[in-house]
Amino acid sequence: MMTLTRFAGWPVIAGAGLAGLSAALHLDRPCVVLSPTPLGEEAASMLAQGGLAAAIGHDDDVALHIRDTLAAGDGLCDRRAVEAIIGAGPSAIETLLDWGVAFNRKGSSSLDLHLEAAHSRARIAHVRGDGSGAGIMQALIAQVKSLPRIVVLDGVTLEHIHAVEGRVRGVWLNTGQFIPTNTCILACGGAGALYAGATSPNSNTGRGLAAAARAGAQLADMEFVQFHPTALDVETGGARSPLISEAVRGAGAVLIDETGTRFTDELQSRDRVSRAIARHRLEGHRVFLDARSGKTGKGLKQIFSRQFPGIALSCRQHGIDPDREPIPVRPAVHYHMGGVATDLHGRASLAGLWACGEVACTGLHGANRLASNSLLEAFVMGRAVAWDVNNGPRERHSCQDPSRPARLGAASFGQQMDKGAGILRDQDGLEALATYLTPLADRDDHALVGAAIASAALRRRESRGSHWRVDCQGATEAERFHFTLKDIGLQERSIVYA
Ligand SMILES: Cc1cc2nc3c(=O)[nH]c(=O)nc-3n(C[C@H](O)[C@H](O)[C@H](O)COP(=O)(O)OP(=O)(O)OC[C@H]3O[C@@H](n4cnc5c(N)ncnc54)[C@H](O)[C@@H]3O)c2cc1C
C-alpha cells in the first residue's frame, strides 16, 4: 500500500541525530522517526569528540557565553537566537543528566568542564574523553527505545515534502510510501558530505534541505560552510575523513610540513588555521600534526592514547602511530552554518514544517560556529520544536493520495564543490560551479544544494567568518541572505511528477 494510513496525522521526524531524538522525546504524542540506518549509526551527533558547551562553571556566566558566540559569528549572528539558545544551556545539561548522560565529573560533585578555542571560560562538558557525542546519543537512544509512542523506521528517509497552498500535507519516503501529515520536523543534519573532503557521515548531503527548498521553504546563510583544519589526510575509499580534534592542538601538538617546519600559529581560530593549511598545500606542501611533544615540555607521547583514545584508534586503523610519527592532516568540511531558515520555535517559512539541528539555520552561528555550540543547539531546538508542536492546534488530517513525484538524483559533485566553493573562493570558481550545477538542480538534490551554496557565496562579495573570497578581502556587508529557490533562479516547487 502506498499510503501508510497507520501513521496518518502523526508528526514525522526526518533524522535520528541529537536534534531528531530530542524532538521525539519532548513531544507529547505518538510520532514517527525516519532513520536511514539503525539508530545511532551515520549521525554526526555520534561522532562529536569535543562536547557540549554550556555556561555552568562557577566562574562562568550566560552573558560571557553569548559574547563569545557573537564574536565567533563575526557580525552575522541573530542576537535573539543566541540569547535564547545559549541561555538554555544550563537547563539542557540538567535534562541530559536526568536522562542518564554520564558527563565526566571532577571527583564526585561538579562536572569536569574543558576550555576550547575561542571560549573565554572552561564550559565544554565531555563524556568519556573524546567520545562525547556517542555518550550523549546512547543515553537518548535508551530513552527512545523505552517509549512505545516513538516509532522508528530504520532504513527509511524522507524524499519529498508534499505541500499544498503553502502548507505541509504529507511526506514521501524512499520506500515509495506516503505519510499524510500536517507536521514534518526536519532533523536531517548538515550537508558536509556534498564535498569530497568532509568529516560528516556520508548520508549528510543535504537531501532534507533540498526537499524543504523544493517545497518552497526559505533558506538562509547558505554560503557559510565551516572547515575543520585537521582531518586525517589518508585514503578513505570514499568514507568520511576522521577528525583530529582541536583539543590535540590545545594540548600542545604543532603543525609542521614535510620538512619539519612550522608555518602557522596552531591556536588561531578554526577558519584561520584552515586557510593557512590550504595555502601551504596549494604551494605543494604536505601538512602534519606533530603530537610527539607538547608545549609543556612533558610531551604528549605518554598521554595521547589515554587522553584521545578514539583519535588514537582512528590513526592506528590507518597505520599511523601518533605517539611515534606526525599525523598527516588536511582541512575538511565540518559544519554548515546555513540551512532551512527558522524562527526560535524552529518554524520554517512553510506552514507545518519545522527544522532543528544542523539542517536548520536559526542564526545562532552567524558566519562561523563557535566550537561545541552545535550539540547544544541540536538539543535545545529539538526541544523547542516539540514544545511548539505540543502547544499547536491538532488539525484533522484530510489529504488524499497525491501523485507520486519522480525520484530525484543524488550524483557526486565532491571535487567540483571542493574546487569551486572550498576554503578559498573567488568569482570565477563560484560562477563555474553555479553554471555547472544549476541546469542539473531540477532533478538532482546534490546539484540543488551545491547551486544554492554557490549562488549565496557569489552574492556575498566580501570575506567574513568562514566565507573567504580571495577576490573580495575585508568585511563590508553585515546582512544575512534569506532566499527561496525562486529568488535565486532555481525553480520553486521544482518537483517533477512521475
Ligand atoms: C566528526 C565531528 C565532530 C564533531 N564534534 C562536535 C563537538 O564536539 N561539539 C559540537 O557541538 N558539535 C560537534 N560536531 C557537530 C555536531 O556533531 C552536529 O552539528 C550535530 O550533531 C548535528 O546534529 P543533528 O541531529 O542536526 O544531525 P545528525 O546528528 O547528523 O543527524 C542527522 C541524521 O539524519 C539522517 N538523514 C539525512 N538525510 C535524511 C533524510 N532525507 N531523511 C531522514 N534522515 C536523514 C542522517 O543520516 C543522520 O542520521 C561535530 C561534527 C562532526 C562531523
Side-chain angles (χ1 to χ4, degrees):
M1 181 195 274
M2 206 194 260
T3 299
L4 286 173
T5 43
R6 178 185 160 205
F7 304 126
W10 289 22
V12 176
I13 302 173
L18 183 57
L21 297 190
S22 171
L25 288 167
H26 285 100
L27 279 171
D28 62 0
R29 66 192 75 172
C31 64
V32 181
V33 178
L34 311 178
S35 177
T37 54
L39 270 188
E41 293 174 20
E42 278 288 309
S45 304
M46 286 295 285
L47 303 172
Q49 294 175 349
L52 187 146
I56 51 171
H58 67 273
D59 62 343
D60 205 358
D61 193 291
V62 164
L64 291 177
H65 191 179
I66 289 174
R67 192 189 66 188
D68 295 344
T69 302
L70 292 171
D74 205 3
L76 277 203
C77 296
D78 178 323
R79 198 182 173 101
R80 284 182 325 124
V82 175
E83 286 172 357
I85 296 167
I86 300 302
S91 75
I93 294 275
E94 260 174 49
T95 307
L96 288 168
L97 285 168
D98 284 349
W99 285 354
V101 175
F103 286 115
N104 295 348
R105 289 184 181 274
K106 254 193 268 171
S108 59
S109 54
S110 56
L111 297 193
D112 188 13
L113 300 171
H114 295 253
L115 185 62
E116 267 184 11
H119 285 274
S120 59
R121 293 289 186 277
R123 62 168 73 101
I124 320 301
H126 287 199
V127 186
R128 291 197 303 264
D130 58 5
S132 298
I136 295 171
M137 285 291 286
Q138 277 151 11
L140 266 65
I141 289 170
Q143 292 285 331
V144 165
K145 287 187 172 165
S146 72
L147 290 175
R149 71 165 176 84
I150 303 176
V151 176
V152 179
L153 301 181
D154 273 354
V156 178
T157 59
L158 173 145
E159 281 206 349
H160 292 282
I161 295 168
H162 178 61
V164 181
E165 293 168 0
R167 157 160 276 293
V168 170
R169 292 296 179 199
V171 296
W172 284 98
L173 312 179
N174 61 332
T175 52
Q177 290 161 310
F178 180 73
I179 303 182
T181 180
N182 296 331
T183 308
C184 173
I185 300 173
L186 272 189
C188 307
L194 269 188
Y195 286 75
T199 62
S200 345
N202 280 353
S203 58
N204 284 18
T205 56
R207 296 201 72 181
L209 186 152
R214 289 185 198 281
Q218 215 176 41
L219 309 180
D221 298 348
M222 287 293 287
E223 64 275 35
F224 294 110
V225 176
Q226 185 174 74
F227 291 79
H228 195 288
T230 54
L232 195 56
D233 186 15
V234 287
E235 185 43 62
T236 57
R240 63 176 201 89
S241 310
L243 179 73
I244 313 292
S245 158
E246 241 128 25
V248 176
R249 274 172 289 136
V254 293
L255 285 167
I256 56 171
D257 62 19
E258 72 287 353
T259 68
T261 310
R262 280 178 76 186
F263 58 93
T264 192
D265 172 2
E266 296 78 11
L267 297 180
Q268 296 174 95
S269 62
R270 202 171 258 188
D271 54 319
R272 282 172 198 267
V273 180
S274 295
R275 285 197 291 274
I277 297 177
R279 287 198 194 95
H280 211 57
R281 283 167 56 93
L282 280 176
E283 288 164 12
H285 295 284
R286 278 200 79 190
V287 174
F288 300 84
L289 191 57
D290 191 349
R292 292 172 298 179
S293 60
K295 279 199 275 307
T296 57
K298 289 188 203 143
L300 287 180
K301 190 169 172 174
Q302 295 79 9
I303 55 166
F304 194 96
S305 302
R306 187 156 39 87
Q307 198 170 346
F308 307 110
I311 300 172
L313 181 65
S314 281
C315 289
R316 294 212 170 88
Q317 280 167 347
H318 291 91
I320 298 153
D321 179 352
D323 286 337
R324 295 178 189 281
E325 58 191 319
I327 307 164
V329 291
R330 63 169 176 155
V333 173
H334 188 53
Y335 188 81
H336 191 198
M337 276 69 77
V340 177
T342 72
D343 67 10
L344 295 181
H345 304 288
R347 288 183 206 157
S349 62
L350 180 70
L353 180 66
W354 284 258
C356 49
E358 196 172 334
V359 71
C361 180
T362 57
L364 167 69
H365 308 294
N368 217 351
R369 173 185 71 118
L370 181 64
S372 292
N373 268 356
S374 37
L375 286 180
L376 173 66
E377 184 188 38
F379 180 81
V380 169
M381 289 309 296
R383 180 169 73 181
V385 164
W387 284 347
D388 199 43
V389 171
N390 292 346
N391 291 322
R394 296 194 185 209
E395 292 169 63
R396 270 193 56 76
H397 194 79
S398 63
C399 187
Q400 305 303 317
D401 276 7
S403 313
R404 184 178 166 191
R407 302 300 293 268
L408 290 160
S412 177
F413 301 109
Q415 302 300 336
Q416 289 94 331
M417 291 299 296
D418 279 0
K419 187 161 176 253
I423 299 177
L424 305 172
R425 303 166 170 190
D426 65 18
Q427 173 106 3
D428 290 349
L430 288 165
E431 265 173 9
L433 181 65
T435 306
Y436 182 74
L437 294 179
T438 299
L440 308 172
D442 259 4
R443 287 182 174 268
D444 188 287
D445 279 346
H446 294 173
L448 181 94
V449 180
I453 291 173
S455 167
L458 268 170
R459 184 169 161 200
R460 185 166 293 284
R461 297 186 51 78
E462 64 164 357
S463 292
R464 181 188 293 278
S466 66
H467 170 75
W468 190 262
R469 288 275 302 254
V470 287
D471 53 346
C472 305
Q473 301 288 307
T476 52
E477 209 167 352
E479 184 199 343
R480 296 178 58 211
F481 303 154
H482 287 68
F483 56 84
T484 61
L485 295 187
K486 206 174 190 176
D487 299 329
I488 56 168
L490 296 170
Q491 203 188 343
E492 192 174 345
R493 296 178 209 291
S494 54
I495 297 175
V496 182
Y497 286 90

